[in-house]
PDB file of all heavy atoms in Angstrom:
ATOM      1  N   GLN Z   1     -36.741 144.185 277.500  1.00  0.00           N
ATOM      2  CA  GLN Z   1     -36.655 143.392 278.780  1.00  0.00           C
ATOM      3  C   GLN Z   1     -37.893 143.566 279.600  1.00  0.00           C
ATOM      4  O   GLN Z   1     -38.044 142.841 280.601  1.00  0.00           O
ATOM      5  CB  GLN Z   1     -35.403 143.875 279.539  1.00  0.00           C
ATOM      6  CG  GLN Z   1     -35.387 145.344 279.932  1.00  0.00           C
ATOM      7  CD  GLN Z   1     -34.739 146.171 278.807  1.00  0.00           C
ATOM      8  OE1 GLN Z   1     -34.616 145.726 277.656  1.00  0.00           O
ATOM      9  NE2 GLN Z   1     -34.255 147.367 279.237  1.00  0.00           N
ATOM     10  N   ALA Z   2     -38.819 144.469 279.235  1.00  0.00           N
ATOM     11  CA  ALA Z   2     -40.121 144.587 279.961  1.00  0.00           C
ATOM     12  C   ALA Z   2     -41.177 143.616 279.461  1.00  0.00           C
ATOM     13  O   ALA Z   2     -42.287 143.687 279.939  1.00  0.00           O
ATOM     14  CB  ALA Z   2     -40.578 146.086 279.883  1.00  0.00           C
ATOM     15  N   ILE Z   3     -40.776 142.750 278.517  1.00  0.00           N
ATOM     16  CA  ILE Z   3     -41.707 141.889 277.924  1.00  0.00           C
ATOM     17  C   ILE Z   3     -41.165 140.424 278.091  1.00  0.00           C
ATOM     18  O   ILE Z   3     -40.025 140.171 278.043  1.00  0.00           O
ATOM     19  CB  ILE Z   3     -41.865 142.136 276.426  1.00  0.00           C
ATOM     20  CG1 ILE Z   3     -42.495 143.504 276.171  1.00  0.00           C
ATOM     21  CG2 ILE Z   3     -42.746 141.069 275.745  1.00  0.00           C
ATOM     22  CD1 ILE Z   3     -42.588 143.909 274.700  1.00  0.00           C
ATOM     23  N   ALA Z   4     -42.207 139.479 278.398  1.00  0.00           N
ATOM     24  CA  ALA Z   4     -41.852 138.062 278.456  1.00  0.00           C
ATOM     25  C   ALA Z   4     -42.369 137.524 277.087  1.00  0.00           C
ATOM     26  O   ALA Z   4     -43.523 137.711 276.796  1.00  0.00           O
ATOM     27  CB  ALA Z   4     -42.482 137.395 279.659  1.00  0.00           C
ATOM     28  N   GLY Z   5     -41.527 136.729 276.501  1.00  0.00           N
ATOM     29  CA  GLY Z   5     -41.924 135.955 275.291  1.00  0.00           C
ATOM     30  C   GLY Z   5     -42.207 134.481 275.532  1.00  0.00           C
ATOM     31  O   GLY Z   5     -41.418 133.913 276.218  1.00  0.00           O
ATOM     32  N   LEU Z   6     -43.374 133.976 275.008  1.00  0.00           N
ATOM     33  CA  LEU Z   6     -43.704 132.654 275.180  1.00  0.00           C
ATOM     34  C   LEU Z   6     -43.805 131.887 273.977  1.00  0.00           C
ATOM     35  O   LEU Z   6     -44.560 132.323 273.055  1.00  0.00           O
ATOM     36  CB  LEU Z   6     -45.104 132.568 275.993  1.00  0.00           C
ATOM     37  CG  LEU Z   6     -45.139 132.844 277.494  1.00  0.00           C
ATOM     38  CD1 LEU Z   6     -44.826 134.308 277.825  1.00  0.00           C
ATOM     39  CD2 LEU Z   6     -46.545 132.489 278.036  1.00  0.00           C
ATOM     40  N   ALA Z   7     -43.098 130.780 273.906  1.00  0.00           N
ATOM     41  CA  ALA Z   7     -43.284 129.839 272.743  1.00  0.00           C
ATOM     42  C   ALA Z   7     -43.674 128.497 273.243  1.00  0.00           C
ATOM     43  O   ALA Z   7     -43.233 128.077 274.294  1.00  0.00           O
ATOM     44  CB  ALA Z   7     -41.926 129.776 271.974  1.00  0.00           C
ATOM     45  N   PRO Z   8     -44.608 127.777 272.540  1.00  0.00           N
ATOM     46  CA  PRO Z   8     -45.100 126.466 273.069  1.00  0.00           C
ATOM     47  C   PRO Z   8     -44.057 125.397 273.159  1.00  0.00           C
ATOM     48  O   PRO Z   8     -43.225 125.259 272.236  1.00  0.00           O
ATOM     49  CB  PRO Z   8     -46.273 126.178 272.207  1.00  0.00           C
ATOM     50  CG  PRO Z   8     -45.981 126.878 270.936  1.00  0.00           C
ATOM     51  CD  PRO Z   8     -45.172 128.117 271.268  1.00  0.00           C
ATOM     52  N   ARG Z   9     -44.175 124.549 274.205  1.00  0.00           N
ATOM     53  CA  ARG Z   9     -43.251 123.420 274.292  1.00  0.00           C
ATOM     54  C   ARG Z   9     -43.828 122.199 273.528  1.00  0.00           C
ATOM     55  O   ARG Z   9     -43.112 121.354 273.033  1.00  0.00           O
ATOM     56  CB  ARG Z   9     -43.134 122.993 275.727  1.00  0.00           C
ATOM     57  CG  ARG Z   9     -42.259 123.871 276.605  1.00  0.00           C
ATOM     58  CD  ARG Z   9     -42.135 123.361 277.994  1.00  0.00           C
ATOM     59  NE  ARG Z   9     -41.308 124.202 278.836  1.00  0.00           N
ATOM     60  CZ  ARG Z   9     -40.033 124.287 278.949  1.00  0.00           C
ATOM     61  NH1 ARG Z   9     -39.311 123.411 278.181  1.00  0.00           N
ATOM     62  NH2 ARG Z   9     -39.452 125.106 279.706  1.00  0.00           N
ATOM     63  N   LYS Z  10     -45.180 122.157 273.375  1.00  0.00           N
ATOM     64  CA  LYS Z  10     -45.871 121.091 272.654  1.00  0.00           C
ATOM     65  C   LYS Z  10     -47.149 121.681 271.953  1.00  0.00           C
ATOM     66  O   LYS Z  10     -47.219 122.837 271.921  1.00  0.00           O
ATOM     67  CB  LYS Z  10     -46.169 119.900 273.577  1.00  0.00           C
ATOM     68  CG  LYS Z  10     -47.032 120.400 274.755  1.00  0.00           C
ATOM     69  CD  LYS Z  10     -47.324 119.230 275.748  1.00  0.00           C
ATOM     70  CE  LYS Z  10     -48.251 119.683 276.872  1.00  0.00           C
ATOM     71  NZ  LYS Z  10     -48.546 118.585 277.845  1.00  0.00           N
ATOM     72  N   ASN Z  11     -48.024 120.788 271.513  1.00  0.00           N
ATOM     73  CA  ASN Z  11     -49.288 121.279 270.938  1.00  0.00           C
ATOM     74  C   ASN Z  11     -49.998 122.181 271.926  1.00  0.00           C
ATOM     75  O   ASN Z  11     -50.444 121.645 272.960  1.00  0.00           O
ATOM     76  CB  ASN Z  11     -50.124 120.122 270.553  1.00  0.00           C
ATOM     77  CG  ASN Z  11     -49.738 119.450 269.300  1.00  0.00           C
ATOM     78  OD1 ASN Z  11     -48.905 120.024 268.531  1.00  0.00           O
ATOM     79  ND2 ASN Z  11     -50.234 118.284 269.000  1.00  0.00           N
ATOM     80  N   LEU Z  12     -50.037 123.460 271.571  1.00  0.00           N
ATOM     81  CA  LEU Z  12     -50.537 124.407 272.618  1.00  0.00           C
ATOM     82  C   LEU Z  12     -51.119 125.620 271.730  1.00  0.00           C
ATOM     83  O   LEU Z  12     -50.442 126.111 270.886  1.00  0.00           O
ATOM     84  CB  LEU Z  12     -49.517 124.861 273.540  1.00  0.00           C
ATOM     85  CG  LEU Z  12     -50.002 125.944 274.556  1.00  0.00           C
ATOM     86  CD1 LEU Z  12     -51.021 125.383 275.547  1.00  0.00           C
ATOM     87  CD2 LEU Z  12     -48.735 126.442 275.290  1.00  0.00           C
ATOM     88  N   ASN Z  13     -52.420 125.954 272.018  1.00  0.00           N
ATOM     89  CA  ASN Z  13     -52.929 127.116 271.364  1.00  0.00           C
ATOM     90  C   ASN Z  13     -52.633 128.357 272.228  1.00  0.00           C
ATOM     91  O   ASN Z  13     -53.291 128.476 273.292  1.00  0.00           O
ATOM     92  CB  ASN Z  13     -54.503 126.942 271.057  1.00  0.00           C
ATOM     93  CG  ASN Z  13     -55.060 128.045 270.231  1.00  0.00           C
ATOM     94  OD1 ASN Z  13     -54.700 129.155 270.290  1.00  0.00           O
ATOM     95  ND2 ASN Z  13     -55.999 127.618 269.426  1.00  0.00           N
ATOM     96  N   LEU Z  14     -51.761 129.260 271.849  1.00  0.00           N
ATOM     97  CA  LEU Z  14     -51.408 130.329 272.717  1.00  0.00           C
ATOM     98  C   LEU Z  14     -52.540 131.384 272.825  1.00  0.00           C
ATOM     99  O   LEU Z  14     -52.516 132.123 273.749  1.00  0.00           O
ATOM    100  CB  LEU Z  14     -50.135 131.005 272.082  1.00  0.00           C
ATOM    101  CG  LEU Z  14     -48.912 130.249 272.355  1.00  0.00           C
ATOM    102  CD1 LEU Z  14     -47.710 130.915 271.646  1.00  0.00           C
ATOM    103  CD2 LEU Z  14     -48.574 130.205 273.870  1.00  0.00           C
ATOM    104  N   GLU Z  15     -53.518 131.350 271.863  1.00  0.00           N
ATOM    105  CA  GLU Z  15     -54.640 132.211 272.096  1.00  0.00           C
ATOM    106  C   GLU Z  15     -55.466 131.736 273.288  1.00  0.00           C
ATOM    107  O   GLU Z  15     -56.046 132.498 274.032  1.00  0.00           O
ATOM    108  CB  GLU Z  15     -55.548 132.195 270.841  1.00  0.00           C
ATOM    109  CG  GLU Z  15     -54.984 132.966 269.691  1.00  0.00           C
ATOM    110  CD  GLU Z  15     -56.026 133.076 268.599  1.00  0.00           C
ATOM    111  OE1 GLU Z  15     -57.154 133.440 268.857  1.00  0.00           O
ATOM    112  OE2 GLU Z  15     -55.595 132.763 267.442  1.00  0.00           O
ATOM    113  N   TYR Z  16     -55.448 130.437 273.530  1.00  0.00           N
ATOM    114  CA  TYR Z  16     -56.137 129.932 274.784  1.00  0.00           C
ATOM    115  C   TYR Z  16     -55.435 130.481 275.979  1.00  0.00           C
ATOM    116  O   TYR Z  16     -56.082 130.940 276.916  1.00  0.00           O
ATOM    117  CB  TYR Z  16     -56.013 128.375 274.813  1.00  0.00           C
ATOM    118  CG  TYR Z  16     -56.611 127.720 276.064  1.00  0.00           C
ATOM    119  CD1 TYR Z  16     -57.916 127.350 276.111  1.00  0.00           C
ATOM    120  CD2 TYR Z  16     -55.768 127.570 277.190  1.00  0.00           C
ATOM    121  CE1 TYR Z  16     -58.438 126.799 277.235  1.00  0.00           C
ATOM    122  CE2 TYR Z  16     -56.361 127.102 278.351  1.00  0.00           C
ATOM    123  CZ  TYR Z  16     -57.668 126.616 278.378  1.00  0.00           C
ATOM    124  OH  TYR Z  16     -58.259 126.084 279.497  1.00  0.00           O
ATOM    125  N   ILE Z  17     -54.062 130.507 276.030  1.00  0.00           N
ATOM    126  CA  ILE Z  17     -53.307 131.061 277.114  1.00  0.00           C
ATOM    127  C   ILE Z  17     -53.626 132.563 277.334  1.00  0.00           C
ATOM    128  O   ILE Z  17     -53.884 133.000 278.391  1.00  0.00           O
ATOM    129  CB  ILE Z  17     -51.790 130.898 276.891  1.00  0.00           C
ATOM    130  CG1 ILE Z  17     -51.411 129.422 276.808  1.00  0.00           C
ATOM    131  CG2 ILE Z  17     -51.063 131.544 278.002  1.00  0.00           C
ATOM    132  CD1 ILE Z  17     -51.778 128.532 278.001  1.00  0.00           C
ATOM    133  N   LEU Z  18     -53.759 133.196 276.157  1.00  0.00           N
ATOM    134  CA  LEU Z  18     -54.023 134.709 276.194  1.00  0.00           C
ATOM    135  C   LEU Z  18     -55.433 134.926 276.913  1.00  0.00           C
ATOM    136  O   LEU Z  18     -55.519 135.803 277.799  1.00  0.00           O
ATOM    137  CB  LEU Z  18     -54.040 135.298 274.780  1.00  0.00           C
ATOM    138  CG  LEU Z  18     -54.300 136.730 274.685  1.00  0.00           C
ATOM    139  CD1 LEU Z  18     -53.506 137.341 273.432  1.00  0.00           C
ATOM    140  CD2 LEU Z  18     -55.844 137.078 274.429  1.00  0.00           C
ATOM    141  N   HIS Z  19     -56.457 134.187 276.481  1.00  0.00           N
ATOM    142  CA  HIS Z  19     -57.766 134.340 276.993  1.00  0.00           C
ATOM    143  C   HIS Z  19     -57.843 133.870 278.484  1.00  0.00           C
ATOM    144  O   HIS Z  19     -58.486 134.590 279.331  1.00  0.00           O
ATOM    145  CB  HIS Z  19     -58.803 133.524 276.228  1.00  0.00           C
ATOM    146  CG  HIS Z  19     -59.036 134.060 274.886  1.00  0.00           C
ATOM    147  ND1 HIS Z  19     -59.321 135.377 274.621  1.00  0.00           N
ATOM    148  CD2 HIS Z  19     -59.085 133.471 273.658  1.00  0.00           C
ATOM    149  CE1 HIS Z  19     -59.518 135.645 273.349  1.00  0.00           C
ATOM    150  NE2 HIS Z  19     -59.402 134.447 272.681  1.00  0.00           N
ATOM    151  N   TYR Z  20     -57.076 132.845 278.856  1.00  0.00           N
ATOM    152  CA  TYR Z  20     -57.084 132.365 280.250  1.00  0.00           C
ATOM    153  C   TYR Z  20     -56.467 133.466 281.155  1.00  0.00           C
ATOM    154  O   TYR Z  20     -56.958 133.681 282.266  1.00  0.00           O
ATOM    155  CB  TYR Z  20     -56.333 131.043 280.349  1.00  0.00           C
ATOM    156  CG  TYR Z  20     -56.587 130.350 281.729  1.00  0.00           C
ATOM    157  CD1 TYR Z  20     -57.673 129.429 281.830  1.00  0.00           C
ATOM    158  CD2 TYR Z  20     -55.811 130.616 282.771  1.00  0.00           C
ATOM    159  CE1 TYR Z  20     -58.020 128.839 283.013  1.00  0.00           C
ATOM    160  CE2 TYR Z  20     -56.116 130.004 284.090  1.00  0.00           C
ATOM    161  CZ  TYR Z  20     -57.185 129.122 284.134  1.00  0.00           C
ATOM    162  OH  TYR Z  20     -57.459 128.573 285.315  1.00  0.00           O
ATOM    163  N   ILE Z  21     -55.325 134.057 280.670  1.00  0.00           N
ATOM    164  CA  ILE Z  21     -54.744 135.097 281.496  1.00  0.00           C
ATOM    165  C   ILE Z  21     -55.596 136.247 281.675  1.00  0.00           C
ATOM    166  O   ILE Z  21     -55.659 136.913 282.764  1.00  0.00           O
ATOM    167  CB  ILE Z  21     -53.328 135.475 280.899  1.00  0.00           C
ATOM    168  CG1 ILE Z  21     -52.326 134.298 281.050  1.00  0.00           C
ATOM    169  CG2 ILE Z  21     -52.783 136.782 281.569  1.00  0.00           C
ATOM    170  CD1 ILE Z  21     -50.946 134.590 280.400  1.00  0.00           C
ATOM    171  N   ASN Z  22     -56.361 136.596 280.592  1.00  0.00           N
ATOM    172  CA  ASN Z  22     -57.283 137.709 280.717  1.00  0.00           C
ATOM    173  C   ASN Z  22     -58.421 137.331 281.742  1.00  0.00           C
ATOM    174  O   ASN Z  22     -58.878 138.250 282.522  1.00  0.00           O
ATOM    175  CB  ASN Z  22     -57.925 138.010 279.405  1.00  0.00           C
ATOM    176  CG  ASN Z  22     -57.116 139.065 278.561  1.00  0.00           C
ATOM    177  OD1 ASN Z  22     -56.448 139.831 279.167  1.00  0.00           O
ATOM    178  ND2 ASN Z  22     -57.241 138.868 277.236  1.00  0.00           N
ATOM    179  N   PHE Z  23     -58.793 136.061 281.817  1.00  0.00           N
ATOM    180  CA  PHE Z  23     -59.767 135.610 282.807  1.00  0.00           C
ATOM    181  C   PHE Z  23     -59.250 135.845 284.199  1.00  0.00           C
ATOM    182  O   PHE Z  23     -59.961 136.198 285.178  1.00  0.00           O
ATOM    183  CB  PHE Z  23     -60.077 134.102 282.596  1.00  0.00           C
ATOM    184  CG  PHE Z  23     -60.630 133.356 283.741  1.00  0.00           C
ATOM    185  CD1 PHE Z  23     -61.815 133.683 284.257  1.00  0.00           C
ATOM    186  CD2 PHE Z  23     -59.894 132.358 284.288  1.00  0.00           C
ATOM    187  CE1 PHE Z  23     -62.321 132.945 285.405  1.00  0.00           C
ATOM    188  CE2 PHE Z  23     -60.348 131.592 285.343  1.00  0.00           C
ATOM    189  CZ  PHE Z  23     -61.607 131.932 285.936  1.00  0.00           C
ATOM    190  N   LYS Z  24     -57.901 135.555 284.459  1.00  0.00           N
ATOM    191  CA  LYS Z  24     -57.318 135.689 285.758  1.00  0.00           C
ATOM    192  C   LYS Z  24     -56.644 137.116 286.029  1.00  0.00           C
ATOM    193  O   LYS Z  24     -55.950 137.276 286.997  1.00  0.00           O
ATOM    194  CB  LYS Z  24     -56.259 134.566 285.991  1.00  0.00           C
ATOM    195  CG  LYS Z  24     -56.815 133.131 286.022  1.00  0.00           C
ATOM    196  CD  LYS Z  24     -55.758 132.146 286.333  1.00  0.00           C
ATOM    197  CE  LYS Z  24     -55.326 132.310 287.765  1.00  0.00           C
ATOM    198  NZ  LYS Z  24     -54.391 131.181 288.118  1.00  0.00           N
ATOM    199  N   LYS Z  25     -56.827 138.051 285.125  1.00  0.00           N
ATOM    200  CA  LYS Z  25     -56.077 139.217 285.061  1.00  0.00           C
ATOM    201  C   LYS Z  25     -55.955 140.031 286.319  1.00  0.00           C
ATOM    202  O   LYS Z  25     -54.902 140.310 286.848  1.00  0.00           O
ATOM    203  CB  LYS Z  25     -56.517 140.113 283.962  1.00  0.00           C
ATOM    204  CG  LYS Z  25     -55.685 141.327 283.688  1.00  0.00           C
ATOM    205  CD  LYS Z  25     -56.030 141.994 282.378  1.00  0.00           C
ATOM    206  CE  LYS Z  25     -54.984 143.047 281.928  1.00  0.00           C
ATOM    207  NZ  LYS Z  25     -55.267 143.650 280.608  1.00  0.00           N
ATOM    208  N   GLN Z  26     -57.141 140.262 286.899  1.00  0.00           N
ATOM    209  CA  GLN Z  26     -57.147 141.082 288.133  1.00  0.00           C
ATOM    210  C   GLN Z  26     -56.411 140.384 289.280  1.00  0.00           C
ATOM    211  O   GLN Z  26     -55.694 141.001 290.057  1.00  0.00           O
ATOM    212  CB  GLN Z  26     -58.615 141.460 288.620  1.00  0.00           C
ATOM    213  CG  GLN Z  26     -58.701 142.551 289.611  1.00  0.00           C
ATOM    214  CD  GLN Z  26     -57.839 143.784 289.209  1.00  0.00           C
ATOM    215  OE1 GLN Z  26     -58.148 144.370 288.135  1.00  0.00           O
ATOM    216  NE2 GLN Z  26     -56.948 144.259 290.041  1.00  0.00           N
ATOM    217  N   GLU Z  27     -56.638 139.115 289.389  1.00  0.00           N
ATOM    218  CA  GLU Z  27     -55.955 138.370 290.470  1.00  0.00           C
ATOM    219  C   GLU Z  27     -54.429 138.399 290.335  1.00  0.00           C
ATOM    220  O   GLU Z  27     -53.689 138.552 291.295  1.00  0.00           O
ATOM    221  CB  GLU Z  27     -56.441 136.839 290.371  1.00  0.00           C
ATOM    222  CG  GLU Z  27     -55.766 135.878 291.313  1.00  0.00           C
ATOM    223  CD  GLU Z  27     -56.035 134.432 291.014  1.00  0.00           C
ATOM    224  OE1 GLU Z  27     -57.114 134.158 290.453  1.00  0.00           O
ATOM    225  OE2 GLU Z  27     -55.183 133.646 291.319  1.00  0.00           O
ATOM    226  N   LEU Z  28     -54.004 138.300 289.051  1.00  0.00           N
ATOM    227  CA  LEU Z  28     -52.552 138.349 288.774  1.00  0.00           C
ATOM    228  C   LEU Z  28     -51.987 139.794 289.028  1.00  0.00           C
ATOM    229  O   LEU Z  28     -50.851 139.929 289.526  1.00  0.00           O
ATOM    230  CB  LEU Z  28     -52.292 137.881 287.369  1.00  0.00           C
ATOM    231  CG  LEU Z  28     -52.600 136.432 287.088  1.00  0.00           C
ATOM    232  CD1 LEU Z  28     -52.584 136.146 285.620  1.00  0.00           C
ATOM    233  CD2 LEU Z  28     -51.693 135.454 287.884  1.00  0.00           C
ATOM    234  N   LEU Z  29     -52.749 140.785 288.576  1.00  0.00           N
ATOM    235  CA  LEU Z  29     -52.305 142.154 288.784  1.00  0.00           C
ATOM    236  C   LEU Z  29     -52.155 142.507 290.264  1.00  0.00           C
ATOM    237  O   LEU Z  29     -51.221 143.327 290.621  1.00  0.00           O
ATOM    238  CB  LEU Z  29     -53.259 143.210 288.137  1.00  0.00           C
ATOM    239  CG  LEU Z  29     -53.242 143.199 286.603  1.00  0.00           C
ATOM    240  CD1 LEU Z  29     -54.368 144.137 286.088  1.00  0.00           C
ATOM    241  CD2 LEU Z  29     -51.916 143.636 286.056  1.00  0.00           C
ATOM    242  N   ASN Z  30     -52.934 141.824 291.073  1.00  0.00           N
ATOM    243  CA  ASN Z  30     -52.827 142.092 292.569  1.00  0.00           C
ATOM    244  C   ASN Z  30     -51.544 141.577 293.154  1.00  0.00           C
ATOM    245  O   ASN Z  30     -51.107 141.868 294.254  1.00  0.00           O
ATOM    246  CB  ASN Z  30     -54.012 141.547 293.263  1.00  0.00           C
ATOM    247  CG  ASN Z  30     -55.302 142.235 293.053  1.00  0.00           C
ATOM    248  OD1 ASN Z  30     -55.307 143.336 292.626  1.00  0.00           O
ATOM    249  ND2 ASN Z  30     -56.435 141.509 293.186  1.00  0.00           N
ATOM    250  N   GLN Z  31     -50.802 140.716 292.341  1.00  0.00           N
ATOM    251  CA  GLN Z  31     -49.549 140.137 292.783  1.00  0.00           C
ATOM    252  C   GLN Z  31     -48.346 141.003 292.452  1.00  0.00           C
ATOM    253  O   GLN Z  31     -47.169 140.716 292.709  1.00  0.00           O
ATOM    254  CB  GLN Z  31     -49.403 138.789 292.208  1.00  0.00           C
ATOM    255  CG  GLN Z  31     -50.428 137.741 292.605  1.00  0.00           C
ATOM    256  CD  GLN Z  31     -50.343 136.415 291.913  1.00  0.00           C
ATOM    257  OE1 GLN Z  31     -49.325 136.141 291.324  1.00  0.00           O
ATOM    258  NE2 GLN Z  31     -51.365 135.607 291.977  1.00  0.00           N
ATOM    259  N   ARG Z  32     -48.567 142.151 291.776  1.00  0.00           N
ATOM    260  CA  ARG Z  32     -47.419 143.019 291.366  1.00  0.00           C
ATOM    261  C   ARG Z  32     -46.782 143.588 292.611  1.00  0.00           C
ATOM    262  O   ARG Z  32     -47.410 143.788 293.598  1.00  0.00           O
ATOM    263  CB  ARG Z  32     -47.959 144.112 290.484  1.00  0.00           C
ATOM    264  CG  ARG Z  32     -48.460 143.679 289.122  1.00  0.00           C
ATOM    265  CD  ARG Z  32     -48.910 144.765 288.291  1.00  0.00           C
ATOM    266  NE  ARG Z  32     -50.059 145.489 288.890  1.00  0.00           N
ATOM    267  CZ  ARG Z  32     -50.657 146.586 288.472  1.00  0.00           C
ATOM    268  NH1 ARG Z  32     -50.123 147.202 287.385  1.00  0.00           N
ATOM    269  NH2 ARG Z  32     -51.731 147.116 289.016  1.00  0.00           N
ATOM    270  N   ARG Z  33     -45.530 143.913 292.384  1.00  0.00           N
ATOM    271  CA  ARG Z  33     -44.703 144.487 293.439  1.00  0.00           C
ATOM    272  C   ARG Z  33     -43.983 145.688 292.956  1.00  0.00           C
ATOM    273  O   ARG Z  33     -43.754 145.831 291.781  1.00  0.00           O
ATOM    274  CB  ARG Z  33     -43.629 143.493 293.990  1.00  0.00           C
ATOM    275  CG  ARG Z  33     -44.214 142.230 294.629  1.00  0.00           C
ATOM    276  CD  ARG Z  33     -44.807 142.604 295.928  1.00  0.00           C
ATOM    277  NE  ARG Z  33     -45.381 141.390 296.661  1.00  0.00           N
ATOM    278  CZ  ARG Z  33     -46.679 141.038 296.523  1.00  0.00           C
ATOM    279  NH1 ARG Z  33     -47.470 141.719 295.811  1.00  0.00           N
ATOM    280  NH2 ARG Z  33     -47.142 139.903 297.196  1.00  0.00           N
ATOM    281  N   GLY Z  34     -43.688 146.620 293.904  1.00  0.00           N
ATOM    282  CA  GLY Z  34     -42.971 147.804 293.528  1.00  0.00           C
ATOM    283  C   GLY Z  34     -43.584 149.053 294.138  1.00  0.00           C
ATOM    284  O   GLY Z  34     -44.741 149.014 294.593  1.00  0.00           O
TER     285      GLY Z  34
END
């Protein structure tokens, strides 16, 4: 339950998503709560 699983809805390269999230990683980590 500590993992989110992503499957594409249409033609989508999930490696692109992985690299894009790494690009925004610090910005997204700053949104963590707890």
Side-chain angles (χ1 to χ4, degrees):
Q1 59 273 19
I3 295 175
L6 282 66
R9 289 184 182 274
K10 55 181 181 179
N11 282 345
L12 177 69
N13 190 321
L14 283 173
E15 285 187 50
Y16 177 93
I17 300 298
L18 181 148
H19 289 311
Y20 194 92
I21 290 175
N22 274 329
F23 158 65
K24 294 185 68 174
K25 190 168 189 176
Q26 194 53 55
E27 175 190 334
L28 295 169
L29 287 175
N30 291 339
Q31 298 174 17
R32 290 179 298 172
R33 295 289 180 267

